[in-house]
Amino acid sequence: MKGRLAVIALATLLVAWPAAAQETRGSIEGVVKDASGAVLPGVTVEARSPRLVGTATTVTDGTGTYRFPALAPGIYEVTATLSGFQTSTTQNIQLQLGQILKIDFALKLASVSETVQVTGESPIIDVKQNAAAVSIQSDIIERIPKGRDFTSVITAAPGTNDENKAGGLQIDGASGSENRFVIDGLDTTSLRTGESVKDLPVDFVAEVQVKSSGYNAEYRATTGGVISAITKSGSNQIRGSFGTYYSNDSWSGKQRPSLRLVPSNTKQSEYITTPRDPDYTVEPVMDLGGPILRDRVWFYAGYNPRFRRHERDVVFSDTGEAVTFDDPRDTQSVNYNVTGQLSSKIRARAAMSNQRATNSGGRDLPSLEPDGTSNENADLFPNPLTHNSTADSYAGNIAWVVSPKFFVNADVGFLTYNTYGVTDTEFSSALRHTFDGSNFAFPSIPGNLQQLDGYADLPASTRDVRDKYGRINLNLDGTYYGNFAGRHTLKAGVQFERLSNDVLTGAQAPTVSLHWDDARTTLDDPPRQVRGTYGYYTVARRFTEGKIHTNNVGLFLQDAWTLNNRLTLNLGIRADSETMPSYRPENPSLHFNLGDKIAPRLGFAYDVRGDGQWKAYGSWG
């Protein structure tokens, strides 16, 4: 192939993802009535969280309706108070991410001298939305088996599995590249693979939500799931923790044999058990949260470094030299946020995360035989090439309750991540030769040129000089609560996203693959089998180079129409304008106008008994 070509690979097809909804809150609403069933306007309703921060207060309108449209997920106590009536309180309300909980009150008359508190039962399900979602809170996360990253707890949700052959996390049968990951309201999905580019230690997680279907119009369509995580926040009390994780190779259990082709005869296979490498990992974890300004501003910060030490003892067959190779891998991860109750109607949050990984891809180490020897060329090692990576995210949110009937939400986010090599920033002209099969079967080949299957005369020439991605998210939406032919929650918004990639990655030089004693299938019709005296060979060099960006816009309108206190229709529509840019100037980009991508959303939720305990729901989109 000619030099300095760029490949339009799957990354190009995935690079244009319209902005996603920035869901970082939940809602509580309801109706206050008297003992006869008449609505009560002017009732003061207060939502207080013993574990979170700030107190929200509102007053019921002429229909007796109150609502808290922007509450942080957590445990709440809601109290309704009106002069001349007994105070009524509902405790232990577990509000999850994205939920709209319905809590109604019936206030009884009080005598002049008595003060009575009536405690109601807390609802456990959202009877207004049709999304199929499961939330996992921090107290549950602490007690279930899991890994170190937040994605390891997702399999606790029904219909979710971790399948390597499917590319990772499968939700309702979709592959691992069809999901969307959101951390603190910022989309952290890789533009190339569909996985999350941000590691988030489970120690810093307040809640993880897995939404598998029934998305509202504020979400772009996906055949997988939407995984949202919220990090912990500070409170009026200083709280912190410190601990460490440790693991080593001897704790991994008995080593299992693996199946491979016999190097000297690739038509046969064998089971082998290679020596286990000395390997240990130390991972301290510490966090701290508390008030900056009591009852106004709070902070939270968590730090999680990870130090892995990996060695391999090798004896090279060609020289008899015994060498020990090191493969250290270090990661530094810090997450921090500030939450502020700017006024009784305005709440803001800024969440940041910085991540650095050294030798993130691991070094190329010599392969091992069961006897501890290696058939690879001793001159190729040690390989000095390493891959470092960075991932930084910054997300901000402002929620403003303008009036009891109007709520405004604004989000801004910036994500950047990069993978780069620490050596060799220019392409090389050195050819690399690899063996597919062994050439021992040909006596005419000189002995000094005979090698086993898998032989290579140079290390892999693939280099990540740079592969820097960027995502800027802007989201503005407004919600209006109206009463006409039932109750309506009308929400409309605009979403802007700028995506970019500056890349120079791939093979530095062509690779000649020698397929010994084998035939190649042609593309003729019908196909033929062809070969030379010793087999066949291929020459290939693939890399990607370019600097591209795209601006995408999404518009949505949705309505939650509650007809009779039990049936809610969720109706919505969204449209997206997006461009799929090309890394190669000679190839045109693909563009879709708003009219090209119109997506309707239809759904319903029915409170079966009217008590918030059972619901039937369904959706189409």
Side-chain angles (χ1 to χ4, degrees):
M1 299 182 184
K2 294 183 178 181
R4 306 191 73 81
L5 293 180
V7 178
I8 302 179
L10 182 60
T12 313
L13 299 178
L14 295 179
V15 77
W17 287 49
Q22 314 297 314
E23 192 167 56
T24 59
R25 59 191 181 275
S27 302
I28 296 176
E29 61 182 44
V31 177
V32 182
K33 301 179 180 179
D34 62 18
S36 67
V39 298
L40 289 175
V43 179
T44 299
V45 185
E46 180 184 82
R48 177 184 295 273
S49 175
R51 294 170 56 182
L52 299 175
V53 290
T55 299
T57 304
T58 188
V59 177
T60 58
D61 60 17
T63 64
T65 301
Y66 76 92
R67 58 180 57 87
F68 299 104
L71 296 176
I75 298 176
Y76 284 87
E77 174 183 288
V78 178
T79 301
T81 305
L82 182 63
S83 178
F85 290 83
Q86 297 177 3
T87 297
S88 182
T89 300
T90 300
Q91 298 176 334
N92 297 321
I93 302 168
Q94 181 66 63
L95 180 63
Q96 299 175 359
L97 187 65
Q99 274 192 327
I100 303 175
L101 292 183
K102 178 185 175 185
I103 302 176
D104 295 334
F105 291 94
L107 303 186
K108 297 180 181 179
L109 288 172
S111 64
V112 176
S113 60
E114 69 177 338
T115 300
V116 180
Q117 177 170 296
V118 180
T119 301
E121 183 179 1
S122 171
I124 59 175
I125 63 173
D126 178 353
V127 295
K128 287 198 169 186
Q129 297 192 90
N130 51 256
V134 175
S135 289
I136 309 165
Q137 284 78 37
S138 59
D139 56 342
I140 301 297
I141 293 174
E142 291 174 357
R143 297 196 293 267
I144 63 175
K146 57 189 175 295
R148 294 294 301 125
D149 185 57
F150 81 103
T151 57
S152 65
V153 308
I154 297 173
T155 53
T160 305
N161 298 285
D162 193 355
E163 299 287 351
N164 290 334
K165 292 185 177 180
L169 291 167
Q170 275 192 299
I171 298 179
D172 287 350
S175 72
S177 62
E178 298 173 81
N179 303 316
R180 184 180 295 276
F181 296 87
V182 181
I183 298 178
D184 285 327
L186 177 63
D187 191 339
T188 61
T189 312
S190 168
L191 299 175
R192 174 171 292 167
T193 66
E195 300 175 335
S196 179
V197 300
K198 290 288 295 179
D199 292 332
L200 176 59
V202 292
D203 311 83
F204 307 152
V205 174
E207 180 180 345
V208 177
Q209 181 197 72
V210 181
K211 190 171 289 188
S212 57
S213 65
Y215 317 119
N216 285 334
E218 58 189 304
Y219 290 95
R220 177 184 183 267
T222 176
T223 52
V226 177
I227 298 99
S228 300
I230 295 294
T231 56
K232 295 177 180 178
S233 298
S235 66
N236 279 331
Q237 293 182 341
I238 293 287
R239 291 188 176 94
S241 65
F242 174 80
T244 188
Y245 294 85
Y246 175 80
S247 62
N248 61 44
D249 57 282
S250 63
W251 294 357
S252 300
K254 186 177 179 181
Q255 193 167 6
R256 295 181 178 181
S258 58
L259 185 66
R260 72 167 184 179
L261 296 177
V262 178
S264 58
N265 185 355
T266 56
K267 296 182 180 180
Q268 297 180 1
S269 62
E270 62 180 352
Y271 280 98
I272 63 168
T273 302
T274 57
R276 175 173 282 160
D277 296 331
D279 190 347
Y280 72 90
T281 301
V282 179
E283 193 171 351
V285 180
M286 59 202 78
D287 69 345
L288 183 67
I292 298 176
L293 185 61
R294 191 173 181 84
D295 293 327
R296 284 291 183 180
V297 185
W298 308 267
F299 78 95
Y300 176 83
Y303 176 53
N304 177 207
R306 185 174 188 265
F307 309 102
R308 179 185 176 188
R309 296 298 176 261
H310 176 204
E311 294 181 351
R312 177 166 295 177
D313 298 322
V314 176
V315 176
F316 288 104
S317 301
D318 56 348
T319 64
E321 181 184 9
V323 184
T324 297
F325 295 96
D326 294 325
D327 182 24
R329 306 183 193 184
D330 295 340
T331 302
Q332 309 283 336
S333 179
V334 58
N335 291 265
Y336 47 105
N337 61 66
V338 176
T339 305
Q341 190 74 40
L342 306 183
S343 72
S344 61
K345 295 183 177 181
I346 301 177
R347 188 180 182 90
R349 190 174 195 260
M352 291 73 70
S353 174
N354 304 105
Q355 189 175 306
R356 300 291 182 269
T358 302
N359 197 24
S360 58
R363 296 184 187 273
D364 289 334
L365 298 179
S367 62
L368 276 182
E369 298 296 319
D371 60 358
T373 63
S374 175
N375 294 322
E376 298 194 58
N377 190 337
D379 294 336
L380 305 183
F381 300 96
N383 181 4
L385 299 175
T386 62
H387 290 83
N388 293 351
S389 64
T390 64
D392 299 319
S393 64
Y394 307 90
N397 168 262
I398 295 180
W400 179 23
V401 182
V402 181
S403 72
K405 289 191 175 184
F406 189 50
F407 167 68
V408 175
N409 177 75
D411 301 276
V412 61
F414 174 63
L415 171 70
T416 177
Y417 54 100
N418 185 21
T419 302
Y420 59 95
V422 296
T423 61
D424 292 328
T425 57
E426 297 296 332
F427 284 97
S428 168
S429 60
L431 285 174
R432 177 175 184 257
H433 300 82
T434 63
F435 277 30
D436 180 13
S438 171
N439 58 4
F440 280 102
F442 302 100
S444 59
I445 295 178
N448 64 329
L449 297 180
Q450 291 184 343
Q451 298 291 344
L452 294 172
D453 175 43
Y455 168 80
D457 63 350
L458 287 174
S461 62
T462 298
R463 305 287 185 271
D464 289 327
V465 178
R466 63 181 178 274
D467 193 7
K468 186 175 183 179
Y469 286 92
R471 172 187 275 123
I472 298 174
N473 282 348
L474 299 173
N475 175 80
L476 178 65
D477 59 69
T479 303
Y480 174 76
Y481 303 94
N483 292 284
F484 44 93
R487 293 195 301 273
H488 295 263
T489 302
L490 287 166
K491 185 175 184 179
V494 57
Q495 300 162 343
F496 170 83
E497 186 171 55
R498 179 182 175 86
L499 308 173
S500 62
N501 183 212
D502 183 5
V503 59
L504 176 54
T505 182
Q508 293 198 21
T511 293
V512 181
S513 301
L514 302 170
H515 301 263
W516 295 99
D517 197 22
D518 199 0
R520 180 177 66 88
T521 302
T522 69
L523 298 178
D524 301 342
D525 188 15
R528 297 176 294 118
Q529 295 287 314
V530 297
R531 59 165 288 167
T533 304
Y534 302 109
Y536 74 97
Y537 71 90
T538 60
V539 181
R541 180 185 176 193
R542 298 182 177 89
F543 63 91
T544 302
E545 181 179 10
K547 189 173 183 180
I548 59 173
H549 72 272
T550 179
N551 297 325
N552 301 321
V553 176
L555 304 175
F556 70 88
L557 175 65
Q558 61 193 42
D559 180 23
W561 180 15
T562 302
L563 280 75
N564 54 11
N565 289 326
R566 297 175 70 174
L567 176 63
T568 299
L569 301 180
N570 292 296
L571 314 173
I573 190 169
R574 74 169 289 127
D576 290 288
S577 170
E578 61 175 321
T579 299
M580 294 183 179
S582 170
Y583 290 101
R584 296 175 59 167
E586 66 270 25
N587 287 344
S589 301
L590 299 178
H591 180 73
F592 298 89
N593 295 313
L594 290 172
D596 299 326
K597 300 192 70 176
I598 297 178
R601 302 283 198 273
L602 303 176
F604 76 93
Y606 183 68
D607 188 351
V608 177
R609 298 189 304 194
D611 57 2
Q613 302 298 313
W614 294 81
K615 77 170 179 178
Y617 61 98
S619 63
W620 177 87

